[in-house]
Coordinates of all heavy atoms in Angstrom, one line a residue:
M1 N 18.4 4.2 22.2 CA 17.8 5.5 21.6 C 16.4 5.5 21.7 O 15.9 4.4 21.2 CB 18.3 5.8 20.3 CG 17.9 7.0 19.6 SD 18.3 7.3 17.9 CE 20.2 7.2 17.9
E2 N 15.7 6.4 22.2 CA 14.2 6.4 22.0 C 13.7 6.9 20.7 O 14.5 7.4 19.9 CB 13.7 7.5 23.0 CG 14.1 7.5 24.5 CD 13.4 6.3 25.2 OE1 12.2 6.0 25.0 OE2 14.1 5.5 26.2
I3 N 12.5 6.5 20.4 CA 11.9 6.7 19.1 C 12.0 8.1 18.9 O 12.2 8.6 17.8 CB 10.5 6.1 18.9 CG1 10.5 4.5 18.9 CG2 9.8 6.5 17.7 CD1 9.2 3.9 19.1
S4 N 11.6 8.9 20.0 CA 11.5 10.4 19.7 C 12.9 11.0 19.5 O 13.0 11.9 18.7 CB 10.9 11.1 21.0 OG 11.7 10.8 22.1
E5 N 14.0 10.4 20.1 CA 15.2 10.9 19.8 C 15.8 10.6 18.4 O 16.3 11.4 17.8 CB 16.3 10.2 20.8 CG 16.1 10.6 22.2 CD 17.1 9.8 23.0 OE1 17.2 8.5 22.9 OE2 17.5 10.3 24.1
L6 N 15.3 9.5 17.8 CA 15.6 9.1 16.5 C 14.9 10.0 15.6 O 15.6 10.7 14.6 CB 15.1 7.7 16.1 CG 15.2 7.3 14.6 CD1 16.7 7.2 14.1 CD2 14.4 6.1 14.4
Q7 N 13.6 10.4 15.8 CA 12.9 11.3 14.8 C 13.5 12.7 15.0 O 13.7 13.4 13.9 CB 11.4 11.4 15.3 CG 10.6 12.1 14.3 CD 9.1 11.9 14.5 OE1 8.6 11.1 15.2 NE2 8.4 12.7 13.7
E8 N 14.0 13.2 16.1 CA 14.6 14.4 16.3 C 16.0 14.4 15.7 O 16.3 15.4 15.0 CB 14.8 14.9 17.8 CG 15.2 16.3 18.0 CD 14.5 17.3 17.3 OE1 13.1 17.3 17.2 OE2 15.0 18.1 16.7
L9 N 16.7 13.3 15.8 CA 18.0 13.2 15.0 C 17.8 13.4 13.6 O 18.7 14.0 12.8 CB 18.7 12.0 15.4 CG 20.1 11.7 15.1 CD1 21.0 12.7 15.8 CD2 20.4 10.3 15.4
M10 N 16.8 12.8 13.0 CA 16.6 12.7 11.5 C 16.0 14.2 11.3 O 16.4 14.7 10.2 CB 15.6 11.8 11.0 CG 15.9 10.2 11.2 SD 17.5 9.9 10.2 CE 18.6 9.6 11.4
R11 N 15.3 14.7 12.0 CA 14.9 16.2 11.8 C 16.2 17.1 11.6 O 16.3 18.0 10.7 CB 14.0 16.6 12.9 CG 13.5 18.1 12.7 CD 12.5 18.6 13.9 NE 11.4 17.8 14.1 CZ 10.3 17.8 13.4 NH1 10.2 18.9 12.6 NH2 9.2 17.1 13.6
A12 N 17.1 16.9 12.7 CA 18.1 17.9 12.7 C 19.2 17.6 11.5 O 19.8 18.5 11.0 CB 18.9 17.6 14.0
T13 N 19.2 16.3 11.0 CA 20.2 15.9 10.0 C 19.6 16.2 8.6 O 20.4 16.6 7.7 CB 20.5 14.4 10.1 OG1 21.1 14.2 11.5 CG2 21.6 14.0 9.2
Y14 N 18.3 15.9 8.5 CA 17.9 15.8 7.0 C 16.6 16.7 6.7 O 16.0 16.7 5.6 CB 17.4 14.3 6.7 CG 18.6 13.4 6.6 CD1 18.7 12.4 7.6 CD2 19.7 13.5 5.7 CE1 19.7 11.4 7.6 CE2 20.7 12.8 5.8 CZ 20.9 11.6 6.7 OH 21.9 10.8 6.7
L15 N 16.0 17.4 7.8 CA 14.7 18.0 7.5 C 14.8 19.0 6.2 O 13.9 19.1 5.5 CB 14.2 18.9 8.6 CG 12.8 19.5 8.6 CD1 11.7 18.3 8.3 CD2 12.5 20.3 9.7
E16 N 15.8 19.7 6.0 CA 15.9 20.7 5.0 C 15.8 19.9 3.7 O 15.1 20.2 2.7 CB 17.1 21.6 5.1 CG 17.2 22.7 4.0 CD 18.6 23.4 3.9 OE1 19.2 23.5 5.0 OE2 18.8 23.9 2.9
R17 N 16.6 18.8 3.7 CA 16.6 18.1 2.4 C 15.3 17.2 2.1 O 14.7 17.2 1.1 CB 17.8 17.0 2.3 CG 19.2 17.6 2.2 CD 20.2 16.4 2.7 NE 21.5 17.1 2.6 CZ 22.3 16.9 1.5 NH1 21.9 16.1 0.6 NH2 23.5 17.4 1.4
D18 N 14.8 16.8 3.3 CA 13.4 16.1 3.3 C 12.4 17.1 2.8 O 11.6 16.6 1.8 CB 13.0 15.5 4.6 CG 14.0 14.4 5.0 OD1 14.6 13.8 4.0 OD2 14.0 14.0 6.1
E19 N 12.4 18.3 3.2 CA 11.3 19.3 2.7 C 11.5 19.6 1.2 O 10.6 19.8 0.5 CB 11.5 20.6 3.6 CG 10.9 20.4 5.0 CD 10.9 21.6 5.9 OE1 11.8 22.4 5.7 OE2 10.2 21.7 6.8
R20 N 12.8 19.7 0.9 CA 13.0 20.0 -0.6 C 12.6 18.9 -1.5 O 12.1 19.1 -2.6 CB 14.5 20.3 -0.7 CG 14.8 21.3 -1.9 CD 16.3 21.5 -2.1 NE 17.2 21.4 -0.8 CZ 18.4 21.2 -0.9 NH1 19.1 20.9 -1.9 NH2 19.1 21.2 0.2
R21 N 12.8 17.6 -1.0 CA 12.3 16.4 -1.7 C 10.8 16.3 -1.8 O 10.2 15.9 -2.8 CB 13.0 15.2 -1.2 CG 12.6 13.8 -1.9 CD 13.3 12.7 -1.2 NE 14.7 12.9 -0.7 CZ 15.0 13.1 0.5 NH1 14.1 13.1 1.5 NH2 16.2 13.3 0.8
G22 N 10.2 16.6 -0.5 CA 8.8 16.5 -0.6 C 8.3 15.2 -0.1 O 9.1 14.1 -0.1
V23 N 6.9 15.1 0.5 CA 6.5 13.9 1.1 C 6.4 12.6 0.1 O 6.6 11.6 0.5 CB 5.1 14.2 1.8 CG1 4.0 14.6 0.7 CG2 4.7 13.1 2.7
E24 N 5.8 12.9 -1.1 CA 5.7 11.8 -2.1 C 7.0 11.2 -2.4 O 7.2 9.9 -2.3 CB 5.1 12.5 -3.4 CG 3.8 13.0 -3.3 CD 2.7 12.2 -2.8 OE1 2.7 10.8 -3.1 OE2 1.7 12.5 -2.1
A25 N 8.1 12.0 -2.8 CA 9.4 11.3 -3.1 C 10.0 10.7 -1.8 O 10.7 9.6 -2.1 CB 10.4 12.5 -3.6
T26 N 9.8 11.2 -0.7 CA 10.5 10.6 0.5 C 9.7 9.3 0.8 O 10.4 8.3 1.1 CB 10.2 11.6 1.7 OG1 11.1 12.7 1.3 CG2 10.8 10.9 3.0
F27 N 8.4 9.3 0.5 CA 7.6 8.0 0.5 C 8.1 6.9 -0.3 O 8.4 5.8 0.0 CB 6.1 8.1 0.4 CG 5.4 6.9 0.5 CD1 5.0 6.2 1.5 CD2 4.9 6.5 -0.8 CE1 4.4 5.1 1.5 CE2 4.2 5.2 -0.9 CZ 4.0 4.4 0.3
R28 N 8.4 7.3 -1.6 CA 9.0 6.5 -2.5 C 10.4 5.9 -2.1 O 10.7 4.6 -2.3 CB 9.1 7.0 -4.0 CG 7.9 7.3 -4.6 CD 7.9 7.4 -6.2 NE 8.8 8.8 -6.4 CZ 8.3 10.0 -6.4 NH1 7.0 10.1 -6.3 NH2 8.8 11.0 -6.8
W29 N 11.2 6.8 -1.5 CA 12.6 6.3 -0.9 C 12.4 5.3 0.1 O 13.0 4.3 0.2 CB 13.3 7.4 -0.5 CG 14.2 8.2 -1.5 CD1 13.8 9.3 -2.2 CD2 15.3 7.7 -2.0 NE1 14.8 9.5 -3.1 CE2 15.7 8.6 -2.9 CE3 16.2 6.6 -1.7 CZ2 16.9 8.4 -3.7 CZ3 17.3 6.3 -2.6 CH2 17.6 7.2 -3.6
L30 N 11.2 5.5 1.0 CA 11.0 4.6 2.1 C 10.8 3.2 1.5 O 11.2 2.0 1.9 CB 9.8 5.0 3.0 CG 9.3 4.0 4.1 CD1 10.4 3.6 4.9 CD2 8.1 4.6 4.8
V31 N 9.9 3.1 0.4 CA 9.4 2.0 -0.2 C 10.6 1.2 -0.9 O 10.7 0.0 -0.7 CB 8.2 2.3 -1.2 CG1 7.8 1.0 -2.1 CG2 6.9 2.8 -0.5
E32 N 11.5 2.0 -1.4 CA 12.6 1.5 -2.1 C 13.5 0.8 -1.0 O 14.1 -0.4 -1.2 CB 13.4 2.5 -2.7 CG 14.6 1.9 -3.6 CD 15.2 3.0 -4.5 OE1 14.4 3.7 -5.3 OE2 16.4 3.0 -4.7
E33 N 13.8 1.5 0.1 CA 14.4 0.8 1.2 C 13.7 -0.5 1.8 O 14.5 -1.4 2.0 CB 14.6 1.9 2.4 CG 15.6 3.0 2.0 CD 16.9 2.6 1.8 OE1 17.5 1.4 2.2 OE2 17.6 3.3 1.0
V34 N 12.4 -0.5 1.8 CA 11.7 -1.7 2.3 C 12.1 -2.8 1.3 O 12.3 -4.0 1.6 CB 10.2 -1.4 2.3 CG1 9.5 -2.8 2.5 CG2 9.9 -0.5 3.6
G35 N 12.2 -2.6 -0.1 CA 12.7 -3.6 -1.0 C 13.9 -4.0 -0.8 O 14.3 -5.2 -0.9
E36 N 14.8 -3.2 -0.4 CA 16.2 -3.6 0.1 C 16.2 -4.5 1.3 O 16.9 -5.4 1.3 CB 17.1 -2.3 0.1 CG 17.4 -1.5 -0.9 CD 18.4 -0.4 -0.9 OE1 19.1 -0.5 0.0 OE2 18.3 0.4 -1.7
V37 N 15.2 -4.4 2.2 CA 15.2 -5.3 3.3 C 14.7 -6.6 2.8 O 15.4 -7.7 3.3 CB 14.1 -4.8 4.4 CG1 13.8 -5.8 5.4 CG2 14.6 -3.5 5.0
A38 N 13.8 -6.6 1.8 CA 13.4 -8.0 1.2 C 14.7 -8.7 0.7 O 14.9 -9.9 0.8 CB 12.4 -7.6 0.2
R39 N 15.6 -7.9 0.0 CA 16.7 -8.5 -0.6 C 17.6 -9.0 0.5 O 18.2 -10.1 0.4 CB 17.5 -7.6 -1.6 CG 16.8 -7.5 -3.0 CD 17.7 -6.8 -3.9 NE 17.8 -5.4 -3.7 CZ 16.8 -4.4 -4.0 NH1 15.8 -4.8 -4.6 NH2 16.9 -3.1 -3.6
A40 N 17.8 -8.2 1.6 CA 18.8 -8.6 2.6 C 18.2 -9.8 3.4 O 19.1 -10.5 3.8 CB 18.8 -7.4 3.7
L41 N 16.9 -10.0 3.5 CA 16.4 -11.2 4.0 C 16.7 -12.5 3.3 O 16.7 -13.5 3.9 CB 14.9 -11.1 4.3 CG 14.4 -10.0 5.4 CD1 12.9 -10.0 5.3 CD2 14.9 -10.4 6.7
R42 N 17.1 -12.3 2.0 CA 17.4 -13.5 1.2 C 18.9 -13.9 1.5 O 19.2 -14.9 1.1 CB 17.2 -13.3 -0.2 CG 15.7 -13.2 -0.6 CD 15.4 -13.4 -2.1 NE 16.2 -12.4 -2.9 CZ 15.5 -11.4 -3.3 NH1 14.3 -11.1 -3.1 NH2 16.2 -10.5 -4.1
H43 N 19.6 -13.0 2.1 CA 21.0 -13.4 2.5 C 21.1 -13.5 3.9 O 20.4 -13.3 4.7 CB 21.9 -12.1 2.1 CG 21.8 -11.8 0.6 ND1 22.5 -12.4 -0.3 CD2 21.0 -10.9 0.0 CE1 22.2 -12.0 -1.5 NE2 21.4 -10.9 -1.3
E44 N 22.2 -14.4 4.3 CA 22.4 -14.8 5.8 C 23.2 -13.7 6.5 O 23.2 -13.8 7.8 CB 23.2 -16.0 5.8 CG 22.4 -17.3 5.2 CD 21.1 -17.4 5.9 OE1 21.1 -17.4 7.1 OE2 20.2 -17.7 5.2
D45 N 23.6 -12.7 5.9 CA 24.5 -11.8 6.7 C 23.7 -10.9 7.5 O 22.9 -9.9 7.0 CB 25.2 -10.8 5.5 CG 26.1 -9.7 6.3 OD1 26.1 -9.9 7.4 OD2 26.5 -8.9 5.5
P46 N 23.8 -11.1 8.9 CA 22.9 -10.2 9.8 C 23.2 -8.8 9.8 O 22.5 -7.8 10.1 CB 23.1 -10.8 11.1 CG 24.4 -11.7 11.1 CD 24.5 -12.0 9.5
G47 N 24.4 -8.5 9.4 CA 24.9 -7.1 9.4 C 24.1 -6.3 8.2 O 23.8 -5.1 8.3
R48 N 24.0 -7.0 7.2 CA 23.3 -6.3 6.0 C 21.8 -6.2 6.4 O 21.3 -5.1 6.1 CB 23.4 -7.3 4.8 CG 22.7 -6.7 3.6 CD 23.1 -7.4 2.3 NE 22.4 -6.8 1.3 CZ 22.4 -7.3 0.0 NH1 23.3 -8.4 -0.3 NH2 21.6 -6.9 -0.9
R49 N 21.1 -7.1 7.2 CA 19.8 -7.0 7.5 C 19.6 -5.7 8.3 O 18.7 -4.9 8.3 CB 19.3 -8.2 8.3 CG 19.2 -9.3 7.3 CD 18.8 -10.6 8.1 NE 18.6 -11.8 7.2 CZ 18.2 -13.0 7.6 NH1 18.0 -13.3 8.7 NH2 18.2 -13.8 6.7
E50 N 20.6 -5.7 9.4 CA 20.6 -4.5 10.3 C 20.7 -3.2 9.6 O 19.9 -2.2 9.9 CB 21.7 -4.7 11.3 CG 21.7 -3.6 12.4 CD 22.9 -3.8 13.4 OE1 22.8 -4.8 14.2 OE2 24.0 -3.1 13.3
H51 N 21.6 -3.2 8.7 CA 21.9 -1.9 8.0 C 20.6 -1.5 7.2 O 20.2 -0.4 7.2 CB 23.0 -2.3 6.8 CG 23.2 -1.2 5.9 ND1 24.3 -0.3 6.0 CD2 22.7 -0.7 4.9 CE1 24.3 0.7 5.0 NE2 23.3 0.4 4.4
E52 N 20.0 -2.4 6.4 CA 18.8 -2.0 5.7 C 17.6 -1.7 6.6 O 16.8 -0.8 6.2 CB 18.4 -3.3 4.7 CG 19.5 -3.5 3.7 CD 19.8 -2.3 2.8 OE1 19.2 -1.4 2.8 OE2 20.9 -2.5 2.1
L53 N 17.3 -2.4 7.7 CA 16.3 -2.1 8.5 C 16.5 -0.8 9.3 O 15.6 0.1 9.6 CB 16.2 -3.2 9.8 CG 15.4 -4.5 9.2 CD1 15.6 -5.6 10.1 CD2 14.0 -4.1 8.9
G54 N 17.8 -0.3 9.5 CA 18.2 0.9 10.0 C 17.8 2.0 9.1 O 17.3 3.0 9.3
D55 N 18.0 1.7 7.7 CA 17.8 2.7 6.6 C 16.2 2.8 6.7 O 15.7 3.9 6.5 CB 18.1 2.2 5.4 CG 19.7 2.4 5.1 OD1 20.3 3.0 5.9 OD2 20.3 1.9 4.2
V56 N 15.5 1.8 6.8 CA 14.1 1.9 6.9 C 13.4 2.8 8.0 O 12.7 3.6 7.8 CB 13.2 0.4 6.9 CG1 11.7 0.6 7.1 CG2 13.5 -0.3 5.6
L57 N 14.1 2.5 9.2 CA 13.8 3.4 10.3 C 14.0 4.8 10.0 O 13.2 5.8 10.3 CB 14.6 2.9 11.6 CG 14.0 2.0 12.4 CD1 14.9 1.7 13.6 CD2 12.6 2.3 13.0
A58 N 15.2 5.1 9.5 CA 15.6 6.5 9.2 C 14.5 7.1 8.2 O 14.2 8.3 8.4 CB 17.1 6.6 8.5
W59 N 14.2 6.4 7.1 CA 13.3 7.0 6.1 C 11.9 7.2 6.7 O 11.3 8.1 6.4 CB 13.3 6.2 4.8 CG 14.5 6.5 4.0 CD1 15.6 5.7 3.8 CD2 14.7 7.7 3.1 NE1 16.5 6.4 2.9 CE2 16.0 7.6 2.5 CE3 13.9 8.8 2.9 CZ2 16.4 8.5 1.6 CZ3 14.5 9.9 2.1 CH2 15.6 9.6 1.5
L60 N 11.5 6.2 7.5 CA 10.2 6.4 8.2 C 10.2 7.6 9.1 O 9.2 8.3 9.0 CB 9.9 5.0 9.0 CG 8.6 5.0 9.8 CD1 7.4 4.9 8.7 CD2 8.5 3.9 10.8
A61 N 11.3 7.8 9.7 CA 11.3 9.0 10.7 C 11.4 10.3 9.8 O 10.6 11.3 10.2 CB 12.6 9.1 11.5
S62 N 12.1 10.3 8.7 CA 12.0 11.5 7.7 C 10.5 11.6 7.3 O 10.0 12.8 7.2 CB 12.9 11.2 6.7 OG 14.2 11.4 6.8
L63 N 9.8 10.7 6.8 CA 8.5 10.7 6.3 C 7.6 11.1 7.5 O 6.7 12.0 7.2 CB 8.0 9.3 5.9 CG 6.7 9.3 5.2 CD1 6.6 10.3 4.0 CD2 6.3 7.9 4.8
A64 N 7.8 10.7 8.6 CA 7.0 11.2 9.7 C 7.1 12.7 10.0 O 6.1 13.4 10.2 CB 7.2 10.4 11.0
N65 N 8.4 13.0 9.8 CA 8.5 14.6 10.1 C 7.9 15.3 9.1 O 7.3 16.4 9.3 CB 10.3 14.8 9.9 CG 11.0 14.4 11.2 OD1 10.3 14.5 12.3 ND2 12.1 14.1 11.1
L66 N 8.0 14.9 7.9 CA 7.2 15.7 6.7 C 5.6 15.6 6.8 O 4.9 16.5 6.5 CB 7.7 15.2 5.4 CG 9.1 15.4 4.9 CD1 9.3 14.7 3.6 CD2 9.3 16.8 5.0
A67 N 5.2 14.5 7.5 CA 3.8 14.2 7.4 C 3.3 14.8 8.9 O 2.0 14.9 9.0 CB 3.5 12.7 7.4
G68 N 4.1 15.4 9.7 CA 3.5 15.9 11.0 C 3.1 14.8 11.9 O 2.2 15.0 12.8
V69 N 3.9 13.6 11.8 CA 3.4 12.6 12.8 C 4.5 12.4 13.9 O 5.7 12.4 13.5 CB 3.1 11.2 12.0 CG1 3.0 10.2 12.9 CG2 1.9 11.5 11.0
D70 N 4.1 12.3 15.2 CA 5.0 12.0 16.2 C 5.1 10.5 16.5 O 4.1 9.7 16.7 CB 4.5 12.7 17.5 CG 5.4 12.4 18.6 OD1 6.1 11.4 18.7 OD2 5.3 13.2 19.6
L71 N 6.3 9.9 15.9 CA 6.3 8.4 16.0 C 6.2 7.9 17.4 O 5.7 6.7 17.6 CB 7.7 8.0 15.4 CG 7.7 8.1 13.8 CD1 9.0 7.6 13.4 CD2 6.6 7.2 13.1
E72 N 6.7 8.6 18.3 CA 6.6 8.1 19.9 C 5.0 8.0 20.2 O 4.6 7.0 20.6 CB 7.2 9.2 20.7 CG 7.4 8.7 22.1 CD 8.7 7.9 22.2 OE1 9.8 8.2 21.7 OE2 8.6 7.0 23.1
Q73 N 4.3 9.0 19.7 CA 2.8 9.0 20.0 C 2.2 7.8 19.1 O 1.3 7.1 19.5 CB 2.2 10.2 19.6 CG 0.8 10.5 20.1 CD 0.5 11.9 19.8 OE1 1.2 12.9 20.2 NE2 -0.7 12.1 19.3
A74 N 2.7 7.6 17.9 CA 2.2 6.5 17.1 C 2.4 5.1 17.5 O 1.5 4.4 17.5 CB 2.7 6.8 15.6
A75 N 3.7 5.1 18.1 CA 4.0 3.7 18.7 C 3.1 3.5 19.9 O 3.0 2.2 20.3 CB 5.5 3.7 19.0
A76 N 2.8 4.4 20.7 CA 2.0 4.4 22.0 C 0.8 3.4 21.8 O 0.3 2.9 22.7 CB 1.8 5.6 22.5
R77 N 0.3 3.3 20.5 CA -0.9 2.6 20.3 C -0.7 1.1 20.5 O -1.7 0.4 20.9 CB -1.2 2.8 18.8 CG -2.6 2.2 18.3 CD -2.8 2.9 16.8 NE -3.7 1.9 16.2 CZ -3.4 1.1 15.3 NH1 -2.3 1.1 14.7 NH2 -4.4 0.4 14.8
Y78 N 0.6 0.7 20.6 CA 0.8 -0.8 20.8 C 1.4 -0.9 22.3 O 1.7 -2.0 22.6 CB 1.8 -1.2 19.8 CG 1.4 -1.3 18.4 CD1 1.3 -0.2 17.7 CD2 0.8 -2.5 18.2 CE1 0.8 -0.2 16.4 CE2 0.3 -2.7 16.8 CZ 0.2 -1.5 15.8 OH -0.3 -1.6 14.6
A79 N 1.3 0.1 23.1 CA 2.0 0.1 24.4 C 1.4 -0.9 25.4 O 2.1 -1.5 26.3 CB 2.1 1.3 25.1
D80 N 0.1 -1.1 25.1 CA -0.7 -2.1 26.1 C -1.0 -3.4 25.5 O -2.0 -3.9 25.7 CB -1.9 -1.3 26.6 CG -1.5 -0.1 27.4 OD1 -0.6 -0.1 28.2 OD2 -2.1 1.0 27.2
G81 N -0.3 -3.8 24.4 CA -0.7 -5.0 23.7 C -1.2 -4.7 22.4 O -1.1 -3.6 21.9
C82 N -1.8 -5.7 21.8 CA -2.5 -5.7 20.6 C -3.5 -4.6 20.5 O -4.5 -4.7 21.5 CB -3.1 -7.1 20.2 SG -4.0 -7.0 18.6
P83 N -3.7 -3.7 19.6 CA -4.5 -2.5 19.7 C -6.1 -3.2 19.4 O -7.1 -2.5 19.6 CB -4.2 -1.5 18.7 CG -2.9 -2.1 17.9 CD -2.6 -3.3 18.7
K84 N -6.0 -4.3 18.7 CA -7.4 -4.8 18.3 C -7.9 -5.6 19.4 O -9.1 -5.4 19.8 CB -7.2 -5.8 17.0 CG -7.0 -5.1 15.8 CD -6.9 -5.9 14.7 CE -6.6 -5.2 13.3 NZ -6.2 -6.1 12.3
C85 N -7.2 -6.7 20.0 CA -7.9 -7.6 21.1 C -7.4 -7.0 22.5 O -8.0 -7.5 23.3 CB -7.5 -8.9 20.8 SG -5.7 -9.4 21.1
G86 N -6.4 -6.1 22.5 CA -6.0 -5.7 23.9 C -5.1 -6.6 24.7 O -4.8 -6.4 25.7
E87 N -4.7 -7.8 24.1 CA -4.0 -8.8 24.7 C -2.5 -8.8 24.4 O -2.1 -8.2 23.4 CB -4.4 -10.1 24.3 CG -5.9 -10.5 24.7 CD -6.2 -10.5 26.2 OE1 -5.3 -11.0 26.9 OE2 -7.2 -10.0 26.7
M88 N -1.7 -9.3 25.2 CA -0.2 -9.4 25.0 C 0.2 -10.8 25.5 O 0.2 -10.8 26.8 CB 0.5 -8.2 25.8 CG 2.0 -8.1 25.4 SD 2.9 -7.0 26.3 CE 2.0 -5.4 26.0
P89 N 0.5 -11.8 24.7 CA 0.6 -11.7 23.4 C -0.8 -11.7 22.7 O -1.7 -11.9 23.4 CB 1.4 -13.0 22.9 CG 1.1 -13.9 23.9 CD 1.0 -13.1 25.3
C90 N -0.8 -11.1 21.5 CA -2.1 -10.9 20.7 C -2.9 -12.3 20.6 O -2.3 -13.4 20.5 CB -1.7 -10.6 19.3 SG -3.1 -10.6 18.1
A91 N -4.2 -12.2 20.8 CA -5.1 -13.4 20.9 C -6.0 -13.3 19.6 O -7.0 -14.1 19.6 CB -5.8 -13.4 22.1
C92 N -5.7 -12.4 18.7 CA -6.6 -12.4 17.5 C -6.5 -13.7 16.7 O -5.4 -14.3 16.8 CB -6.1 -11.2 16.6 SG -6.4 -9.6 17.3
P93 N -7.5 -14.1 15.8 CA -7.3 -15.2 15.0 C -6.0 -15.0 14.1 O -5.7 -13.9 13.6 CB -8.6 -15.1 14.1 CG -9.5 -14.4 14.9 CD -8.8 -13.4 15.6
F94 N -5.2 -16.0 14.0 CA -3.9 -15.9 13.1 C -4.3 -15.9 11.7 O -5.0 -16.6 11.2 CB -3.1 -17.2 13.6 CG -1.9 -17.1 12.7 CD1 -0.8 -16.2 13.0 CD2 -1.6 -18.0 11.7 CE1 0.4 -16.2 12.3 CE2 -0.5 -18.0 11.0 CZ 0.6 -17.1 11.2
T95 N -3.6 -15.0 11.0 CA -3.7 -14.7 9.6 C -2.2 -14.9 9.0 O -1.5 -13.8 9.3 CB -4.2 -13.4 9.2 OG1 -3.7 -12.4 9.9 CG2 -5.8 -13.4 9.4
P96 N -2.0 -15.9 8.3 CA -0.5 -16.0 7.7 C -0.4 -15.0 6.7 O -1.1 -14.5 6.0 CB -0.6 -17.5 7.2 CG -2.0 -17.9 6.9 CD -2.8 -17.1 8.0
Ligands
ZN101 ZN1 -4.8 -9.2 18.7

């Protein structure tokens, strides 16, 4: 599935609810889902990790819909490698 397809799918499925909830509450849901990824990473179950990362993607797409951001366009910033140094792989000084 393309990123634009995911965003359109989330729009078709959840836009009305997302608009009713609003951008601030939708952002809080995204952050909560990111917390669930942190918990999933402490477990060895790869299915759980996939599930939680999928939820983060879905909430990110919902937030992008409300914020008027085209995720395909946003991701294009990384299409030619690191947007800072322009290299692939990145040649920036490593920061742990
Ligand atoms: Zn770089």
Side-chain angles (χ1 to χ4, degrees):
M1 185 188 300
E2 301 287 328
I3 294 173
S4 58
E5 291 174 323
L6 171 70
Q7 189 167 357
E8 187 50 45
L9 190 63
M10 291 302 112
R11 177 184 302 278
T13 307
Y14 296 117
L15 184 64
E16 189 189 330
R17 289 165 179 263
D18 290 340
E19 284 178 335
R20 213 181 322 156
R21 182 183 315 102
V23 69
E24 299 294 332
T26 299
F27 174 73
R28 286 195 300 273
W29 273 103
L30 170 61
V31 171
E32 188 168 317
E33 290 297 338
V34 169
E36 289 184 21
V37 171
R39 279 191 292 281
L41 289 174
R42 288 200 299 265
H43 300 278
E44 293 300 317
D45 179 7
R48 185 162 170 191
R49 294 176 178 187
E50 182 179 291
H51 175 103
E52 298 304 345
L53 284 167
D55 285 350
V56 166
L57 268 179
W59 281 105
L60 181 67
S62 280
L63 183 62
N65 283 333
L66 293 180
V69 171
D70 180 336
L71 284 179
E72 191 85 36
Q73 199 174 310
R77 191 168 158 249
Y78 290 87
D80 299 319
C82 173
K84 286 184 185 163
C85 67
E87 299 294 325
M88 192 186 304
C90 170
C92 295
F94 178 71
T95 49

